[in-house]
Amino acid sequence: MMRALAMTDHGRIREWIEARGGHPARMRSGTICIDFAKPANAVEDISWDEFFRVFDESRDAFLHHDNEASRH
């Protein structure tokens, strides 16, 4: 069974996202997100600094599923 893993360390989050071809973005609603395959005009690219500013203000944790982790 795959479980969700949480990260709050900016460096680890950025490394995980970039290793999978993602980059920070913002949806039209203003919500930050990770864009892996840029749909036409659905999101705008933002800097990592902006992404983590909003992330920290929201006191969020980055949740992800990692197939490698579920094998151990």
Side-chain angles (χ1 to χ4, degrees), residues 42-65:
V43 298
E44 69 172 298
D45 293 341
I46 59 173
S47 69
W48 282 110
D49 288 339
E50 176 67 5
F51 177 85
F52 285 120
R53 182 188 66 75
V54 175
F55 179 86
D56 288 341
E57 286 175 359
S58 302
R59 297 179 184 219
D60 282 334
F62 178 72
L63 298 177
H64 65 91
H65 294 282

Side-chain angles (χ1 to χ4, degrees), residues 2-15:
M2 198 180 328
R3 64 174 192 229
L5 304 172
M7 287 191 277
T8 56
D9 178 83
H10 292 188
R12 289 185 63 213
I13 294 168
R14 182 175 179 169
E15 182 179 297

Side-chain angles (χ1 to χ4, degrees), residues 14-51:
R14 182 175 179 169
E15 182 179 297
W16 190 94
I17 292 167
E18 288 180 340
R20 288 154 181 81
H23 61 275
R26 182 186 340 264
M27 298 186 307
R28 289 182 187 162
S29 66
T31 303
I32 59 171
C33 61
I34 303 303
D35 187 15
F36 289 99
K38 190 165 182 119
N41 299 322
V43 298
E44 69 172 298
D45 293 341
I46 59 173
S47 69
W48 282 110
D49 288 339
E50 176 67 5
F51 177 85

